[in-house]
Amino acid sequence: LPDGQVVGADCAPGDALCAAYALARNGREALNAACGSRDDDAGPLDLLQVGAHVGDGPGDPVYAWLRHAAGPWVRAVLVEPMRGSFERLVANYVGARAQVSYVHAAVVGAGRRGRRSFYEPRRCDNQYWDAEDGPGATCVTGFETSTLVASRNRTWVYHASKWLVDPPPIARRDIAGVDWVSLLETHGVSALGLLLVDAETMDCDLVASFPFDVARPDAIVFEQGGCEHYVSDDDAPTASELARRLGESDPRIALDRYLREELGYVLVPGFIGHASYDACYVRLPPGRTPTQ
């Protein structure tokens, strides 16, 4: 369509999440299975969200669906590394219609172990230990959405919060790491319909390191706009390595080529928010072409 949106079976104009499912899961039959009605012999539908934050926060594309509309055969694994956000996430999903599992950890590259350092603005009402400066350090009041900019990239956190006070006080939280394969195997993910990544500059690296030989998501949603600000340290393979292998200077372009040319995904434009910032890729059934 002229505005860059997509329309799929039984989807309202502009409802790109619905359209992505319709395309990825072959139209009406699978879409109905995802949204509430299905044949008795239909299998499960798995969803994996990395950076689930608090669930009902601004812009979450799946909270309302998982909480109120999804059938019990929908199995969601929600990963959130920040402790305060994780506790609110669990509370907000009480009574969800979907089967929901929660993971308090940071997703890391293949074969990696150990803890990872995350950074966030240090708020005065945060009761948890700061691994860098300890209790009693300088803090800020307000900025209730500060956890939305939590990241492994300290510089990113600085620039995202300096509008409040410059320099902003930044807390360090050390988080246990879990690799993709362990995450998938532990939760028995067998029919991955949707992979969502919202990781504040780490999105491209996490998608690049996903084990597509173990599980092949029908649709992938991630923030590509902040990827240029992240420099990976040890979580391989990364988008930067893809860029070197494919001869691209921009890791985002390399990841796009990897998903489309090597894995057979197509890009659905204008998915959530700004098309230049958010990206959705869908894997179409054989012989199917996208409607854009």
Side-chain angles (χ1 to χ4, degrees), residues 73-243:
W73 50 89
V74 176
R75 307 183 304 190
V77 179
L78 310 180
V79 183
E80 172 53 44
M82 308 309 291
R83 180 176 172 184
S85 297
F86 178 80
E87 292 172 350
R88 291 177 58 190
L89 174 74
V90 175
N92 286 333
Y93 268 100
V94 170
R97 292 192 48 164
Q99 298 183 54
V100 181
S101 300
Y102 310 94
V103 180
H104 179 212
V107 176
V108 298
R112 305 294 172 177
R113 296 292 186 270
R115 302 178 75 83
R116 294 294 186 273
S117 293
F118 277 71
Y119 302 92
E120 65 177 341
R122 185 185 297 112
R123 286 173 47 185
C124 297
D125 60 353
N126 192 316
Q127 59 186 315
Y128 300 120
W129 179 264
D130 182 341
E132 189 163 274
D133 292 321
T138 303
C139 58
V140 296
T141 58
F143 199 8
E144 288 77 8
T145 58
S146 63
T147 52
L148 287 171
V149 299
S151 174
R152 287 182 61 190
N153 187 331
R154 185 188 180 103
T155 302
W156 168 268
V157 176
Y158 169 84
H159 287 291
S161 53
K162 68 177 182 179
W163 61 269
L164 190 64
V165 59
D166 192 6
I170 296 176
R172 191 186 98 218
R173 318 289 183 193
D174 290 341
I175 312 297
V178 59
D179 64 86
W180 282 118
V181 174
S182 297
L183 186 65
L184 295 169
E185 292 179 348
T186 298
H187 294 275
V189 175
S190 60
L192 187 52
L194 180 60
L195 171 65
L196 292 134
V197 179
D198 185 355
E200 298 305 314
T201 78
M202 299 177 287
D203 300 61
C204 288
D205 273 34
L206 289 177
V207 174
S209 68
F210 187 83
F212 290 97
D213 57 332
V214 176
R216 190 68 62 92
D218 291 329
I220 308 169
V221 179
F222 62 97
E223 289 185 350
Q224 63 177 357
C227 293
E228 62 189 78
H229 301 288
Y230 182 63
V231 179
S232 179
D233 49 2
D234 60 355
D235 294 342
T238 68
S240 297
E241 290 173 340
L242 279 178

